[in-house]
Amino acid sequence: MSLSRERVKEAVKKNLFSRGFGTETKATPELADLIGDLLRKLALSYFSLAKKAGLAVSGNSKVEDMVSKNKAQVILHAVEAAPDGRRKIDGLAGPDVTMINIFTVDELDLAFGRSNVIHAAVGRGKLAEKLILAVRRIERYDAQASVSCN
């Protein structure tokens, strides 16, 4: 069994935490959303760390450059990104590049420390791998997340 939004909602609704802990416990009805928000913040923290380490770029031309030189392991597109922009960048990517399309412009802006981050890329390495794993957790937790590996 794995953690999912629906299971957390069901556990809260059926008061299963009291049974599991063996004492009266009250979980807030917002627990499922809180967990989802924390999973997103964790993933975005890896993106932010990659930026601070000089391993991430944003902006169409910088992302295209990193991807075309086969230095990108992850491509992030804001949910609001135009399909044409996504296709152009994704078309430059090799088969081992992971595309992530679950974060909003506001989330990417905050993580990257600048405004209007529509496209971004993270270079190869441990931080990119941790970002991918964190996004996979979101994908499992939240069925509507959209992540694809080419």
Side-chain angles (χ1 to χ4, degrees), residues 61-72 89 92-94:
S61 61
K62 288 181 183 177
V63 171
E64 284 181 8
D65 185 54
M66 182 184 245
V67 172
S68 66
K69 291 179 179 174
N70 198 29
K71 292 183 179 180
I89 292 170
L92 299 171

Side-chain angles (χ1 to χ4, degrees), residues 56-122:
V57 298
S58 69
N60 198 47
S61 61
K62 288 181 183 177
V63 171
E64 284 181 8
D65 185 54
M66 182 184 245
V67 172
S68 66
K69 291 179 179 174
N70 198 29
K71 292 183 179 180
Q73 185 170 349
V74 176
I75 298 171
L76 294 105
H77 299 293
V79 173
E80 300 89 342
D84 288 345
R86 286 182 190 188
R87 267 192 303 275
K88 184 177 179 188
I89 292 170
D90 292 351
L92 299 171
D96 61 339
V97 177
T98 300
M99 272 64 105
I100 298 173
N101 307 300
I102 63 170
F103 300 113
T104 65
V105 169
D106 290 340
E107 288 174 310
L108 293 177
D109 287 354
L110 188 59
F112 209 75
R114 65 174 284 241
S115 62
N116 205 28
V117 177
I118 304 292
H119 306 285
V122 178

Side-chain angles (χ1 to χ4, degrees), residues 10 13 18 29 38 56 65 71 78 85 95 117 125 135 142:
E10 183 179 331
K13 184 177 178 181
S18 290
L38 290 171
D65 185 54
K71 292 183 179 180
V117 177
V135 169
D142 230 350

